[in-house]
Amino acid sequence: MKSSFKQVNSQKKTKRSNYYIPIKMKFWLSHLFSLIWICLSIYLALPWLKDLTEVVSFQVAILIIAGISYLPGYMNAFLIMSLILDRQPHFKDEKPTDSITILIAAHNEEDKIFQTLRYIDNQDYTGNIKTIVINNRSSDQTVNEVLKAKEDLKLEIELLQEDKPGKFHALNYGLNFVETSYVITIDADTLLHPSSIRFLVARMNSSSEEVCAVAGSVLTKNSRDNLLTKIQEWDYFLGIASIKRLQGLYQGTLVAQGAYSLYKTKCLKEIGGWPDAIGEDIVLTWRLLQKHWKVYFEPLAVSFTEVPNSFKHFVRQRARWARGMVEGLKEIKPWQQPQLYVKYLTGINFIMPYLDITYTLCWIPGLILAFFGNFIIVGPMTLLVLPLTLISYSILYFYQRNYVFNRLQLRIRKNFVGFILFILFYQMIMSPVSVYGYIQELFKLKRNWK
């Protein structure tokens, strides 16, 4: 009797653990939660709307409040519910042995390239790894450092020369020499966790045939440099990672970033490789998605990259990202994407310029006015967005700590000051910088690759 009771109990537990919510249901449940939230926001904001219409027209008041409260609140609510519902599928095999090729485009990377190659050499991946370094008009000792790595490391390294300037030229040239089914791209300053490649390939092998790429997780390696890098540490750890998880859940990660991603070689070749764009990895990913393929994200495939430690380089990088997004939208409109989830995700990008412009031209001046006692733009209602942001980051923090960092035996750095500055001030920097990038793209100003 006891035995049969235990068996029934065990079956119940199994049924519970195997309960699966379809992606479509997760998508609509998240929208339902967001709709409830925005309806509540609209109701609570009626006095705010009334006061603002006494200063500007009703239409302008709606545009301002929607840009700094309604839409950000809706998006944060959707993100929270999606993160709560997200369950990363189990790997079919955590120790794949597929042969892979790694492409590294290198331009003046003498102080970084050897260390990057050494970290690849230290991977616990048992399949064959061939690394192709494409020297792109370096004027320093990059070539000598690669030749030194060929001698000192056990890694199979091939050195190529590409004289046409531009990362996309280098990667496309290297792609001609790829003979494996899978190809990984990493930046010359990216360091891989010892199990990173193993988890990246395992996610691809555990996915359906339509998956053509898997984006790895990119974190900061130089967060101790100064306050700017301390803030960016939280952006990569919480901000970018949360968006990647959201997009990965709906099978439409919008950027399989060149800094660290895995692709099916045949898919890359079918779309003609990397495009001539300042955001070459963004446009590349959107072209892949347009082919009815899917792009996943693997949080356990952790890499560490060097983030800008000067404000000038930070502005260049983030403005370049904003331009890359616009390039993608100009080439492939959200409604031209074949999959529902991708239409929605790229649709969010479609309204980002509006949100960034509203934030820059209305919220920041409104905050200054609030310090002088004028709450006509920034007042108590705008604080409703902050709890949602904190909730979403808290969910992701515990996920990153318990599922990713503990499993990889990593430790989260104590960086409280960076966190506070990230929460309170980061968007005040990001939105104007993004607007600067939109203006650059609008007037086709000179491209800055670094």
Side-chain angles (χ1 to χ4, degrees):
M1 187 74 175
K2 273 186 180 178
S3 175
S4 62
F5 175 76
K6 283 182 182 176
Q7 193 173 2
V8 170
N9 232 16
S10 173
Q11 287 173 350
K12 284 182 179 178
K13 284 181 182 176
T14 304
K15 282 182 180 178
R16 278 196 211 106
S17 63
N18 288 339
Y19 182 70
Y20 174 72
I21 302 176
I23 292 175
K24 187 175 287 188
M25 187 179 292
K26 291 177 183 178
F27 185 73
W28 293 116
L29 281 173
S30 298
H31 273 300
L32 178 61
F33 177 72
S34 304
L35 185 62
I36 293 170
W37 178 266
I38 199 170
C39 288
L40 178 64
S41 298
I42 290 171
Y43 174 73
L44 293 175
L46 287 175
W48 181 18
L49 179 63
K50 182 182 176 183
D51 291 342
L52 193 55
T53 51
E54 293 178 2
V55 180
V56 297
S57 67
F58 175 77
Q59 292 82 358
V60 173
I62 287 288
L63 284 173
I64 292 173
I65 296 176
I68 65 177
S69 180
Y70 296 160
L71 288 175
Y74 184 92
M75 288 159 58
N76 275 328
F78 183 80
L79 174 63
I80 287 172
M81 186 53 66
S82 296
L83 290 177
I84 290 172
L85 295 173
D86 184 26
R87 293 292 181 274
Q88 195 77 355
H90 294 295
F91 295 115
K92 293 177 182 175
D93 179 11
E94 283 195 10
K95 296 182 178 179
T97 58
D98 306 71
S99 294
I100 61 166
T101 303
I102 297 177
L103 295 181
I104 304 176
H107 172 72
N108 291 342
E109 305 286 358
E110 65 177 357
D111 56 336
K112 305 179 184 77
I113 189 67
F114 185 89
Q115 188 182 31
T116 297
L117 294 169
R118 182 160 55 82
Y119 271 70
I120 296 173
D121 192 40
N122 291 335
Q123 289 293 296
D124 63 11
Y125 188 72
T126 55
N128 183 63
I129 299 176
K130 179 181 179 180
T131 303
I132 299 177
V133 180
I134 309 99
N135 178 46
N136 191 212
R137 300 187 69 176
S138 296
S139 56
D140 62 1
Q141 298 299 311
T142 296
V143 169
N144 290 338
E145 287 296 307
V146 175
L147 294 175
K148 180 174 179 288
K150 285 185 71 171
E151 290 182 7
D152 295 354
L153 305 177
K154 295 174 289 183
L155 189 65
E156 182 186 354
I157 301 173
E158 183 175 355
L159 177 63
L160 303 177
Q161 302 288 337
E162 172 53 72
D163 292 330
K164 293 178 185 175
K167 186 177 179 181
F168 73 99
H169 280 309
L171 291 173
N172 285 331
Y173 183 65
L175 186 61
N176 294 323
F177 295 84
V178 175
E179 297 176 349
T180 54
S181 299
Y182 296 153
V183 58
I184 292 174
T185 62
I186 69 170
D187 282 349
D189 62 355
T190 298
L191 305 182
L192 302 181
H193 180 276
S195 300
S196 190
I197 288 178
R198 177 164 63 84
F199 283 123
L200 196 62
V201 178
R203 176 55 59 209
M204 178 67 89
N205 286 350
S206 302
S207 306
S208 61
E209 186 59 32
E210 312 93 70
V211 176
C212 67
V214 180
S217 175
V218 181
L219 303 175
T220 63
K221 73 176 183 184
N222 60 324
S223 64
R224 290 192 177 98
D225 285 3
N226 53 39
L227 267 182
L228 181 60
T229 59
K230 287 179 187 294
I231 296 170
Q232 289 177 83
E233 178 176 40
W234 289 109
D235 183 29
Y236 278 79
F237 184 77
L238 296 177
I240 294 174
S242 62
I243 299 301
K244 290 281 189 184
R245 272 193 64 203
L246 166 73
Q247 295 173 351
L249 168 62
Y250 298 118
Q251 304 172 343
T253 303
L254 294 187
V255 188
Q257 70 281 338
Y260 183 46
S261 291
L262 168 70
Y263 309 88
K264 286 181 177 174
T265 308
K266 64 179 182 181
C267 297
L268 283 180
K269 291 183 175 179
E270 187 170 329
I271 64 167
W274 285 267
D276 179 4
I278 198 165
E280 76 284 334
D281 47 4
I282 299 174
V283 178
L284 172 86
T285 308
W286 290 19
R287 285 180 179 178
L288 292 170
L289 291 168
Q290 195 181 31
K291 287 278 191 178
H292 293 265
W293 292 322
K294 297 175 181 177
V295 179
Y296 278 4
F297 168 63
E298 179 45 56
L300 286 170
V302 167
S303 65
F304 298 89
T305 193
E306 195 166 292
V307 298
N309 58 9
S310 73
F311 189 69
K312 176 183 176 182
H313 289 141
F314 174 81
V315 169
R316 281 186 176 181
Q317 182 195 65
R318 297 310 172 101
R320 188 168 67 245
W321 290 6
R323 290 187 72 172
M325 185 190 74
V326 174
E327 284 178 326
L329 288 169
K330 284 163 66 176
E331 178 170 328
I332 308 167
K333 309 296 186 295
W335 51 87
Q336 294 173 332
Q337 288 287 355
Q339 301 172 66
L340 171 65
Y341 309 128
V342 180
K343 288 180 193 289
Y344 173 75
L345 294 170
T346 52
I348 290 176
N349 278 0
F350 199 70
I351 64 170
M352 285 307 298
Y354 158 62
L355 296 180
D356 285 324
I357 291 169
T358 306
Y359 192 95
T360 302
L361 299 183
C362 299
W363 197 91
I364 294 177
L367 182 64
I368 296 170
L369 289 173
F371 279 114
F372 292 95
N374 187 334
F375 303 105
I376 196 68
I377 296 177
V378 174
M381 275 305 304
T382 55
L383 297 178
L384 276 175
V385 179
L386 188 59
L388 282 177
T389 303
L390 290 174
I391 290 170
S392 64
Y393 286 158
S394 297
I395 293 170
L396 191 76
Y397 178 88
F398 288 112
Y399 175 88
Q400 292 279 68
R401 186 190 67 183
N402 298 333
Y403 177 76
V404 178
F405 271 49
N406 286 351
R407 187 168 181 185
L408 298 177
Q409 298 181 334
L410 295 172
R411 184 174 56 86
I412 300 173
R413 290 177 183 171
K414 293 179 181 178
N415 180 8
F416 184 71
V417 173
F419 177 74
I420 295 300
L421 293 175
F422 169 68
I423 293 293
L424 296 180
F425 301 109
Y426 191 65
Q427 198 58 45
M428 295 186 205
I429 302 171
M430 275 301 302
S431 285
V433 168
S434 296
V435 171
Y436 173 57
Y438 305 144
I439 292 171
Q440 285 183 323
E441 182 60 23
L442 179 66
F443 292 100
K444 297 296 179 187
L445 300 182
K446 182 183 176 182
R447 293 172 170 179
N448 285 312
W449 298 97
K450 282 196 173 185

